[in-house]
Amino acid sequence: MNCKRYFTGALAAFMVASSAFMTYADGPVANGTDPAGLTSAPGETAGAGNGTTGVTAAETAAPAPASGAQSSGSQTVTVGGNAAASGTVTAGGSSTAGNGTVTAGSSTVAAGSSTVTSGGTTSSGSTVTVGGQTGPAVAVGSGTITVGSGQVAGAAAGPGGVAVPSVIGAGDLSFAGQLTDPIVKVTEKYSYDQMSRDISSLKSRYGSHMQVNTIGNSLDGRSLYEIVIGNQNASKHILIHAGIHAREYMTPLLVMKQSEHLLAFYDSGSYQGRSLSDILSGVAIHIVPMLNPDGITISQFGVSALRSSSLRQTVSQCYAQDQADGRTTQSFDRYQALWKANGRGVDLNQNFPALWDSITTGPSHASYANYKGTSALSEPESQALANLANSRNWSLTISYHSMGNLVYWDFAGNKVAEQSKVLADLVTGISGYRTNGSSGKGGFKDYVQTKDNPIPSLTIEVGSVACPMPASEFGNVWNSNQAILAALAAYAADH
Ligand SMILES: [Zn+2]
């Protein structure tokens, strides 16, 4: 490579700060592009995500030279990095002090005249133009929100915003300040066991506004919970699920925090001038926070955390076969962390009867990812969700996945395309995410859009770094999705 060319432009500006250069050396590892060693890399990373394609390389494949960097001076970081002062971040990063400019999915944390143009957070004196939030926790200035889901502490909500009391609590993340004593806490690995305890605690604290059901059990004997918030006897019902893909375990954390906030602000919060209690008197929100607890357990803690010895053996067999096929070159530890399937190696979101017979893209054997199973609905987890989907007339349903900051709304043979597109426009207007049609087969969204008695449906792909995502990404995910359930409930109430 020609060195003069190499040192031109933004890269040169970036590299002149030696401290920044040193941290850059570690950047691609920390914010990396996994699963680099997986030769048929699946999932919500580059390539065929979630049984769908269209996640652009920009989110995952680090197209810019300064990808994943941390810098401490007056810096330009182009993808996924952090500029510590007076920085310019163009995607997925944060500028922590000074006159930061962030153009997508990011946050500026401290003082200065900050500008966020898409999906971000600023904590003072700032302007957010799309889908963002001016945060409640620190020295809030005169924030302006022109589109989307923001909130300003102690002030009226912006358009599309949720007004919440400006209670400031501990924590250095903007959302942490909104509840004085949150039950659901952000952790690196939000586990099935923790979630189960949190559901019990929410029930104890907010029992009058919620109901907890079990819609089935996983192969390894874990409960598939359903939380219902709002009027159980309402005429409108909406269905949200998360955690169907194992390594996407930030999505259960997201919907649990969404649930807690709905409950905490049930009697005092509002959405677009309507009280939440009024909205939820006419709509019940059903949330299945973790449809694949076995797979999530594998991804977070490895097979030793499984109860069944035969399932532990299956995972080991998957690894051997995927190695033999060249589907992985990872260590066994990393292979488990990248697990996407259920406890016996079936990708649950390729297991629904939506052109299932014609799925030919995955392996012919159980695997960490992309194996469609022996037949549609062969798995107890996919069966349980299909049964729930067919148990009543739903106004709409949302599937939370990661990653890509994308909303998928269509499928071949979609019987509710128009309604689904309206929902997509609603969600992207709040979140700042992009829309995409769809591709891939066998997904839950695909199924409910094409079945008898079809349901308007979206898949929302949260986050902008590879799965499993670090907890540091949660702030961005939260900012884009905090108001989504209230918005969907209000929409359902009106339609
Ligand atoms: Zn997924």
Side-chain angles (χ1 to χ4, degrees), residues 134-217:
T134 61
V138 184
V140 174
S142 55
T144 301
I145 300 172
T146 55
V147 179
S149 64
Q151 73 206 24
V152 179
V162 176
V164 295
S166 57
V167 178
I168 297 175
D172 58 358
L173 298 171
S174 61
F175 54 86
Q178 296 173 9
L179 297 175
T180 49
D181 181 23
I183 289 169
V184 180
K185 297 180 178 65
V186 178
T187 60
E188 286 293 336
K189 295 179 178 178
Y190 189 68
S191 67
Y192 169 80
D193 289 342
Q194 183 63 52
M195 183 191 72
S196 300
R197 288 191 291 272
D198 288 352
I199 289 172
S200 294
S201 299
L202 289 172
K203 181 66 179 166
S204 297
R205 191 181 289 184
Y206 302 112
S208 63
H209 292 320
M210 72 180 284
Q211 178 178 319
V212 180
N213 305 318
T214 300
I215 63 168
N217 292 287

Side-chain angles (χ1 to χ4, degrees), residues 44 50 244-245 248 340 349 401-402 461:
E44 286 73 10
N50 185 26
I244 191 172
H245 280 151
E248 301 166 22
K340 186 179 178 187
N349 211 41
H401 288 253
S402 58
E461 300 272 2

